[in-house]
Amino acid sequence: MHTIFLIIKREYMVRVRKKSFIIMTILGPLLIFGFYAIIGWAAVSSINQKKIAIVDESGRFVNQFKNDDETVYSYPKQSLADAKKTFVKQGFNALVFIPKDVIEQPKTVQIFSEKSVSLSLQSNIERAISKEIETIKLEQAGITQKVIQDAKVNIDAQTISLSDGGEKSNNGIATTIISGFCALLIYISVLIYGTQVMRGVMEEKTNRIVEVIISSVKPFQLMLGKIIGVALVGLTQFMLWIVLTVGLMTVGSQLIGQPKETTQSAVTARMGGMPGGQEVQGKMATAKNPVADVMAAIGTLNIPLIIGCFLFYFLGGYLLYSALFGAVGAAVDNETETQQFMFPIMMPIIAAIAFAQIAVRDPDGPLAFWTSMIPFTSPVVMMVRIPFGVPVWELALSMVLLVLGFIGTTWLAARIYRVGILMYGKKVTFRELSKWVFYKG
């Protein structure tokens, strides 16, 4: 045991002292936070307001199109022929023609543009016309505008979980985001740190350093120490990432949640001067802070349980797959030869991502249940299910099976490792690996 501890210590200290580890540990959350911040900023700043000209022969749609941040509608008093000649020169992005018989023949609406209009813009125009036609037909049927407005109701239901501990508020969007994020993080970490084990073993083998090490320790001790050492490096990095991410989210929520009064008043004043801006201005006054909403939604989840299970399934999934990665590293002499052995190892973890997408839609379905029990897919799929709520017996059974799966793969990998680590210059096949498993000694 003391020997394994020394190997773990060496593997851990060598990696955490590297400049690359320190830099990525600090910059990792900053890069992720900055990446999504840039995407959000680009998505908002890249929106160019489109000017749309409406030629309405029916006379029923004048001033019925609502202006917004993306689109401004105008109603030039021109014929269709004249408007088609001049709308581009007048700075309009598109020309919408509504014929007289649009109520009876709604498919006769035409949209003209110099370039192809975007699908979203086309959908907005079609939806606005369809909505107005529906209103006109209802009025013709004797239903007043007041009745139509009173019939329009927006539902914002509150979801509540019932359990033995009582009622608890939850949020489906936050649950889905957290579950997907945890599953993806485990998937990426298994590949990154498992590959580190494989390359570390292969490097020691090709440099013949392992021959000196094996003279003092058993192959199984070397393999296990290397796997656990890299696992502790991953855990250290993840814990630091969690602390830094929480800090960044807290600072970000405070900065965004308390905007400067001058900035907010400038935006509302600008919106108030735009066509339809009074309505937008009113909505801004009553709008909720999206960052605060996200933080509140995350607060409804059982964060300690999610973090605890994430650490367990990260370790379990990593240990299971890294044992196989270590066996591959011991069996080959160079990176090129690893491809044929990597494919069977990669298939289950790739399949787990596919199953996870199904589990998000139906976390209690039979496919989600069985794939969360199979050790090769459970680290990813079970992390998708946990934020939605999993019975204790299912969680316990999945953990036990994962531990047994790790023990089984470690035994199998150790049998291959003890032979392959000292085998040089021979091209290994799957048949040869099967023989190594049953070698005695």
Side-chain angles (χ1 to χ4, degrees), residues 24-99:
M24 284 308 301
T25 300
I26 297 173
L27 290 183
L30 293 174
L31 290 174
I32 294 173
F33 188 83
F35 176 74
Y36 284 105
I38 291 172
I39 290 178
W41 172 82
V44 173
S45 62
S46 63
I47 296 175
N48 293 322
Q49 200 171 53
K50 306 295 183 183
K51 295 177 64 179
I52 309 298
I54 308 291
V55 175
D56 180 19
E57 286 188 346
S58 68
R60 295 176 178 270
F61 296 86
V62 177
N63 297 324
Q64 296 302 317
F65 290 87
K66 303 299 183 183
N67 298 333
D68 55 30
D69 292 341
E70 300 181 16
T71 315
V72 174
Y73 298 95
S74 298
Y75 306 87
K77 295 180 180 180
Q78 293 176 300
S79 64
L80 176 61
D82 293 337
K84 287 168 65 176
K85 295 177 182 179
T86 60
F87 82 94
V88 175
K89 294 180 181 178
Q90 292 174 352
F92 291 104
N93 300 100
L95 169 66
V96 179
F97 172 65
I98 305 175

Side-chain angles (χ1 to χ4, degrees), residues 97-114:
F97 172 65
I98 305 175
K100 291 181 180 180
D101 58 348
V102 67
I103 305 298
E104 293 75 21
Q105 297 183 18
K107 293 186 178 181
T108 56
V109 175
Q110 294 177 309
I111 302 176
F112 301 91
S113 64
E114 187 178 21

Side-chain angles (χ1 to χ4, degrees), residues 110 216 237 272 299 343 385:
Q110 294 177 309
S216 304
Q237 198 165 52
F343 182 73
R385 296 184 61 204

